[in-house]
Amino acid sequence: MKNTIKIKPLGDKVLVAPSKEDSKTKSGLYIPETASKERPEQGLVIAVGEGKVADDGRLVPIKVKKGQTVLFSKYGPDEVKVGDQEYLIISESNILAIIE
Amino acid sequence: MKNTIKIKPLGDKVLVAPSKEDSKTKSGLYIPETASKERPEQGLVIAVGEGKVADDGRLVPIKVKKGQTVLFSKYGPDEVKVGDQEYLIISESNILAIIE
Amino acid sequence: MKNTIKIKPLGDKVLVAPSKEDSKTKSGLYIPETASKERPEQGLVIAVGEGKVADDGRLVPIKVKKGQTVLFSKYGPDEVKVGDQEYLIISESNILAIIE
Amino acid sequence: MKNTIKIKPLGDKVLVAPSKEDSKTKSGLYIPETASKERPEQGLVIAVGEGKVADDGRLVPIKVKKGQTVLFSKYGPDEVKVGDQEYLIISESNILAIIE
Amino acid sequence: MKNTIKIKPLGDKVLVAPSKEDSKTKSGLYIPETASKERPEQGLVIAVGEGKVADDGRLVPIKVKKGQTVLFSKYGPDEVKVGDQEYLIISESNILAIIE
Amino acid sequence: MKNTIKIKPLGDKVLVAPSKEDSKTKSGLYIPETASKERPEQGLVIAVGEGKVADDGRLVPIKVKKGQTVLFSKYGPDEVKVGDQEYLIISESNILAIIE
Amino acid sequence: MKNTIKIKPLGDKVLVAPSKEDSKTKSGLYIPETASKERPEQGLVIAVGEGKVADDGRLVPIKVKKGQTVLFSKYGPDEVKVGDQEYLIISESNILAIIE
């Protein structure tokens, strides 16, 4: 990211840089183009919000951390770009799994 | 804003002045016109409400502050104008991230 | 309002007299006829209900007061007339901001 | 109501006798036939239920009383007749205001 | 009901024998065939469930009793027959009023 | 069920063997093919889950027991077969009544 | 799974390897192709998330365990592949039963 810009996600939001297609193939994991199931996306966590305020006032911190590779549901992420790099802002509940 | 008028957002509402298209390009961050994802908008926080009353009666204050630049989901904001300046009134939950 | 009639809103309901078009222009604030955003309406608070009963039995009083000018979401208000004067009955949650 | 029949509303239900069109005009209040807004109805409260049981077991009594004239949202009331008199059974949450 | 069969409603369910058309007319109460409103149905309570388990674990007993005549919303009751007699299984929340 | 296979329902799920059409007629109870109402189904409870975890952490056990004949709403049960025998997996909330 | 990749499900998510068609037939259990009911799927649990955070902050652990064969509702699982092996990421609430 350019050093003049920093995107700080709020609440339960997570900032993710989606993986390029070839990086997926290299690791052995890929997302098949099937019609019968939902297709998640893979990406790198860049920043996370502080968490969601629960009904009783407690702050529930976000479970994923900066630097982790995650699979997330492709439903409805917001997209921004800084130069050529695409970023997605997604809700934590749409993150399905961590890839290690 | 004209000094004869002041818009005070209520509850979890935030008053935002949406950014002009060229100011976005200058900072390096922009919102691509892609069909596959949602496109957020960028704007300057002008005023915030007192917060939302939680189920147990506590007031949950709004996290963003006057003067911050934010990315917000473009879903359903209400729009007013004072002279030539457009203002949007949005719910805090539609604010995705702070831009620094 | 005729002195033979008084409309007392219940619970979280607010009775509002919507502003005439020219009074909006005079104050400098107006609501543009744009297709891309929602268009709120402006009006004068005439009377407010006692508030909403929260889950734990407390009464949460209404934040706006008689005599304030407000912006409200135009979604679904009920309308009545007394003589020539139109009145709208709206839920407090649809009031977006106070105009001062 | 015939003395052989009594309709006792349950829970948060209210039994209302809807006003005849001419009684509305007489009091100065009427409901305009506009397309842009919802049109409430006016009626006389005949009987009320005991109230709704809240999440914590308390009984929340109904705010309106027998004999009051009310404005109510026309959405989905159930209708019965005793002889020529029409009665509507509505939820308290659909009662908007008391007319005095 | 045949003595070889007993239908015991569960939870907040109520077993009702819907009234024949002529029994309605006799009592003076009837349900008009109007298009503008919902049309409830009338019936006799045959058996009731134990009640609903509230969020805090308490059992909230059903308010109507065996032998009462009730008006109920015609939305979605399940229907069974024992011999020629039709029975409906409805949720308590769809019972609008008791007829006395 | 074959002795090599056992289906253990989870949470609030109930495993039911739906009744054959002729067994219904024999008991005097049947489900009429009417268009105006919902048609429940009848079946034998084969196994039940441990119950649902309530909001406060308590386990709410399932009310029906293995061996009971039940009426259940036909909305959306999942179906499996072991040999020729059909089994349905349904949520407890879709069980309407016990037949005795 | 390749030893270079590990998929760790988050929260209430469960990673499942769906069964091949012939393994189903062998055990005697199969899922009929009927139009009137929902068709669940069968699979092997590979990994489970930590559980869901309840309203009061407690962690509710997932009931199924690695190595169990489960029936799950086919509604909306996300799908990934590692080499030739298909994996599904599903919510615990969509798991209907354990097969033993």
Side-chain angles (χ1 to χ4, degrees):
Chain A
M1 223 184 291
K2 289 196 179 181
N3 54 8
T4 53
I5 281 217
K6 190 172 180 183
I7 303 173
K8 291 178 60 173
L10 286 166
D12 69 336
K13 295 293 183 296
V14 176
L15 185 73
V16 170
S19 300
K20 302 247 169 21
E21 289 302 316
D22 21 359
S23 70
K24 291 181 197 170
T25 313
K26 194 169 139 189
S27 67
L29 181 144
Y30 66 100
I31 291 122
E33 299 208 17
T34 53
S36 63
K37 312 284 180 192
E38 296 293 322
R39 300 183 65 228
E41 288 191 44
Q42 189 177 341
L44 185 68
V45 176
I46 302 299
V48 301
E50 286 189 352
K52 187 152 64 173
V53 176
D55 285 356
D56 60 356
R58 285 172 318 101
L59 189 73
V60 182
I62 285 181
K63 295 283 165 52
V64 296
K65 288 181 178 50
K66 182 182 168 179
Q68 288 180 325
T69 300
V70 292
L71 281 170
F72 53 94
S73 167
K74 71 176 173 185
Y75 176 74
D78 279 84
E79 178 180 354
V80 293
K81 278 198 165 184
V82 178
D84 284 347
Q85 178 62 55
E86 177 192 352
Y87 294 101
L88 300 176
I89 304 173
I90 62 185
S91 296
E92 187 191 14
S93 62
N94 286 330
I95 300 184
L96 305 167
I98 299 166
I99 306 296
E100 291 183 343
Chain B
M1 223 183 292
K2 288 195 179 182
N3 54 8
T4 53
I5 281 217
K6 191 171 181 184
I7 303 173
K8 291 178 60 173
L10 286 166
D12 69 335
K13 295 293 183 296
V14 176
L15 184 73
V16 170
S19 300
K20 303 247 168 22
E21 289 302 316
D22 22 359
S23 70
K24 291 182 198 169
T25 314
K26 196 170 139 189
S27 68
L29 181 144
Y30 66 100
I31 292 122
E33 298 208 19
T34 54
S36 63
K37 312 284 180 192
E38 296 293 322
R39 300 183 65 228
E41 289 191 44
Q42 190 177 342
L44 185 69
V45 176
I46 303 298
V48 301
E50 285 189 352
K52 186 152 65 173
V53 176
D55 284 355
D56 60 355
R58 286 172 318 100
L59 188 74
V60 183
I62 286 182
K63 294 284 165 51
V64 295
K65 288 181 178 51
K66 182 182 168 179
Q68 287 180 326
T69 300
V70 292
L71 281 170
F72 53 94
S73 167
K74 71 176 172 184
Y75 176 73
D78 280 84
E79 178 180 355
V80 293
K81 278 198 164 183
V82 179
D84 284 346
Q85 178 62 54
E86 177 192 352
Y87 294 100
L88 301 176
I89 304 172
I90 63 184
S91 295
E92 187 190 14
S93 62
N94 285 330
I95 301 185
L96 305 168
I98 299 167
I99 306 296
E100 291 183 343
Chain C
M1 221 182 294
K2 289 195 178 182
N3 54 9
T4 53
I5 282 216
K6 191 172 180 184
I7 303 173
K8 291 178 60 173
L10 286 166
D12 69 335
K13 295 293 182 296
V14 176
L15 183 73
V16 170
S19 300
K20 303 248 168 23
E21 289 302 316
D22 22 0
S23 70
K24 291 181 196 169
T25 314
K26 195 168 139 189
S27 68
L29 181 144
Y30 66 100
I31 292 122
E33 297 208 19
T34 53
S36 62
K37 312 284 180 192
E38 296 293 322
R39 300 184 64 228
E41 289 191 45
Q42 190 178 341
L44 184 68
V45 175
I46 303 298
V48 302
E50 286 190 352
K52 187 153 65 174
V53 176
D55 285 356
D56 60 356
R58 285 173 319 100
L59 188 74
V60 182
I62 285 182
K63 294 285 164 50
V64 295
K65 288 180 178 51
K66 182 182 168 180
Q68 287 181 325
T69 299
V70 292
L71 281 170
F72 54 94
S73 167
K74 70 176 173 184
Y75 176 74
D78 279 84
E79 178 180 356
V80 292
K81 278 199 166 184
V82 179
D84 284 347
Q85 178 62 55
E86 177 191 352
Y87 294 100
L88 301 175
I89 304 172
I90 62 185
S91 295
E92 187 191 14
S93 62
N94 286 330
I95 300 185
L96 304 168
I98 299 167
I99 306 296
E100 292 181 343
Chain D
M1 221 182 294
K2 289 195 179 183
N3 55 8
T4 54
I5 281 216
K6 191 172 180 183
I7 303 172
K8 290 178 60 173
L10 286 166
D12 68 336
K13 294 293 182 296
V14 176
L15 183 74
V16 170
S19 299
K20 304 246 167 25
E21 289 302 315
D22 21 1
S23 71
K24 290 182 197 169
T25 314
K26 195 169 139 189
S27 68
L29 181 145
Y30 66 101
I31 291 122
E33 298 208 18
T34 54
S36 62
K37 313 283 181 192
E38 296 294 320
R39 299 183 66 227
E41 289 191 44
Q42 190 177 342
L44 184 68
V45 176
I46 303 297
V48 302
E50 287 190 352
K52 187 153 65 173
V53 177
D55 285 356
D56 60 356
R58 284 173 319 100
L59 188 74
V60 182
I62 285 182
K63 295 286 164 51
V64 294
K65 287 179 179 51
K66 182 182 167 179
Q68 287 181 326
T69 300
V70 292
L71 281 170
F72 54 94
S73 166
K74 71 177 173 184
Y75 176 74
D78 280 84
E79 177 180 355
V80 293
K81 277 199 166 184
V82 178
D84 284 347
Q85 177 63 54
E86 178 191 352
Y87 294 101
L88 301 176
I89 304 172
I90 62 185
S91 295
E92 187 191 14
S93 61
N94 285 331
I95 300 185
L96 304 167
I98 299 168
I99 306 297
E100 293 182 342
Chain E
M1 221 182 292
K2 289 195 179 182
N3 55 7
T4 54
I5 281 216
K6 191 173 179 183
I7 303 173
K8 290 178 60 174
L10 286 166
D12 68 336
K13 294 294 183 296
V14 176
L15 183 72
V16 171
S19 299
K20 303 247 167 24
E21 290 302 316
D22 21 0
S23 70
K24 290 183 196 169
T25 313
K26 195 169 139 190
S27 68
L29 181 144
Y30 67 100
I31 292 122
E33 297 208 19
T34 53
S36 62
K37 312 283 181 190
E38 296 294 321
R39 299 183 66 227
E41 290 191 44
Q42 189 177 341
L44 185 68
V45 176
I46 303 298
V48 302
E50 287 189 351
K52 187 153 64 173
V53 176
D55 285 356
D56 60 357
R58 286 173 318 101
L59 188 74
V60 182
I62 285 182
K63 294 285 165 51
V64 294
K65 288 180 178 51
K66 181 182 166 180
Q68 288 181 325
T69 301
V70 292
L71 281 171
F72 53 94
S73 166
K74 71 177 173 185
Y75 176 74
D78 279 84
E79 176 180 354
V80 293
K81 278 199 167 185
V82 178
D84 284 347
Q85 177 63 53
E86 177 191 352
Y87 294 101
L88 300 176
I89 304 172
I90 61 185
S91 294
E92 188 191 14
S93 62
N94 286 330
I95 300 185
L96 303 168
I98 299 168
I99 306 296
E100 292 182 343
Chain F
M1 221 181 295
K2 289 196 179 182
N3 54 8
T4 54
I5 281 216
K6 191 172 180 183
I7 304 172
K8 291 177 60 174
L10 286 166
D12 68 336
K13 294 294 183 295
V14 176
L15 184 73
V16 170
S19 300
K20 303 248 168 23
E21 290 302 316
D22 22 0
S23 71
K24 291 183 197 169
T25 314
K26 194 169 140 190
S27 67
L29 181 144
Y30 67 100
I31 291 122
E33 298 207 19
T34 53
S36 63
K37 313 284 180 190
E38 296 294 321
R39 299 183 66 227
E41 289 191 45
Q42 190 177 340
L44 185 67
V45 176
I46 302 299
V48 301
E50 287 189 352
K52 187 152 64 173
V53 177
D55 286 355
D56 61 356
R58 287 173 316 102
L59 188 73
V60 182
I62 285 182
K63 294 284 165 54
V64 295
K65 288 180 177 53
K66 181 181 167 181
Q68 288 180 324
T69 300
V70 292
L71 282 170
F72 54 95
S73 166
K74 70 177 173 185
Y75 176 74
D78 279 84
E79 177 180 355
V80 293
K81 278 198 166 184
V82 178
D84 284 347
Q85 177 63 54
E86 177 191 352
Y87 294 101
L88 300 176
I89 305 172
I90 62 185
S91 295
E92 188 192 13
S93 61
N94 286 330
I95 300 185
L96 304 168
I98 299 168
I99 306 296
E100 291 182 343
Chain G
M1 222 182 293
K2 288 195 179 183
N3 54 8
T4 54
I5 281 217
K6 191 173 181 182
I7 304 172
K8 291 178 60 174
L10 286 166
D12 68 336
K13 294 294 183 295
V14 175
L15 184 73
V16 170
S19 300
K20 302 248 169 22
E21 289 302 316
D22 22 359
S23 70
K24 290 182 197 168
T25 314
K26 195 170 140 189
S27 68
L29 181 144
Y30 66 101
I31 291 123
E33 299 208 18
T34 52
S36 63
K37 312 284 180 192
E38 296 293 322
R39 300 184 64 228
E41 289 191 45
Q42 189 177 341
L44 186 68
V45 176
I46 302 300
V48 302
E50 287 189 352
K52 187 152 65 173
V53 177
D55 285 356
D56 61 356
R58 286 171 318 101
L59 188 73
V60 182
I62 285 182
K63 294 283 165 55
V64 295
K65 288 180 177 52
K66 182 182 168 180
Q68 287 181 325
T69 300
V70 292
L71 281 170
F72 53 94
S73 166
K74 71 177 173 184
Y75 175 74
D78 279 84
E79 178 180 354
V80 294
K81 278 198 166 184
V82 178
D84 285 346
Q85 177 63 54
E86 177 191 352
Y87 294 101
L88 300 176
I89 304 172
I90 62 184
S91 295
E92 188 192 14
S93 61
N94 286 330
I95 300 185
L96 304 168
I98 299 167
I99 306 296
E100 290 182 344

Coordinates of all heavy atoms in Angstrom, one line a residue, chain A residues 55, chain B residues 53-58, chain C residues 54-56 58:
Chain A
D55 N -24.3 -7.6 22.6 CA -25.5 -7.0 23.2 C -25.2 -6.5 24.6 O -25.9 -5.6 25.1 CB -26.6 -8.1 23.3 CG -27.2 -8.4 22.0 OD1 -26.9 -7.7 21.0 OD2 -28.0 -9.3 21.9
Chain B
V53 N -29.0 3.5 21.5 CA -29.3 3.0 22.8 C -29.4 1.4 22.7 O -30.1 0.9 21.9 CB -30.7 3.5 23.3 CG1 -31.0 2.9 24.6 CG2 -30.6 5.0 23.4
A54 N -28.5 0.8 23.4 CA -28.4 -0.7 23.4 C -29.6 -1.3 24.1 O -30.4 -0.6 24.7 CB -27.1 -1.2 24.0
D55 N -29.8 -2.6 24.0 CA -30.9 -3.3 24.6 C -31.0 -3.1 26.1 O -32.0 -3.1 26.7 CB -30.7 -4.9 24.4 CG -31.1 -5.2 23.0 OD1 -31.5 -4.3 22.2 OD2 -30.9 -6.4 22.6
D56 N -29.8 -2.9 26.8 CA -29.8 -2.8 28.2 C -29.7 -1.3 28.7 O -29.4 -1.0 29.8 CB -28.6 -3.5 28.8 CG -27.3 -3.0 28.3 OD1 -27.3 -2.1 27.4 OD2 -26.2 -3.5 28.8
G57 N -30.0 -0.4 27.7 CA -30.2 1.0 28.1 C -28.9 1.8 28.0 O -29.0 3.0 28.0
R58 N -27.8 1.2 27.8 CA -26.5 1.9 27.6 C -26.5 2.6 26.3 O -27.1 2.1 25.3 CB -25.3 1.0 27.7 CG -24.9 0.4 29.0 CD -23.9 -0.6 28.9 NE -24.1 -1.4 27.7 CZ -23.6 -1.3 26.5 NH1 -22.7 -0.4 26.3 NH2 -23.9 -2.2 25.5
Chain C
A54 N -38.6 -0.8 26.3 CA -37.5 -1.6 25.9 C -37.7 -3.1 26.4 O -38.6 -3.3 27.1 CB -36.2 -1.1 26.5
D55 N -36.8 -4.0 26.0 CA -36.9 -5.4 26.4 C -37.0 -5.6 27.9 O -37.6 -6.5 28.4 CB -35.7 -6.2 25.8 CG -35.8 -6.4 24.4 OD1 -36.9 -6.0 23.8 OD2 -34.9 -7.0 23.8
D56 N -36.3 -4.7 28.6 CA -36.2 -4.9 30.1 C -37.3 -4.0 30.8 O -37.2 -3.8 32.0 CB -34.8 -4.6 30.6 CG -34.4 -3.2 30.3 OD1 -35.2 -2.5 29.6 OD2 -33.3 -2.7 30.7
R58 N -37.9 -0.8 30.7 CA -37.7 0.6 30.8 C -38.4 1.3 29.6 O -38.5 0.8 28.5 CB -36.2 0.9 30.7 CG -35.4 0.6 31.9 CD -34.0 0.8 31.6 NE -33.6 0.3 30.3 CZ -33.5 1.1 29.2 NH1 -33.7 2.4 29.3 NH2 -33.2 0.5 28.1

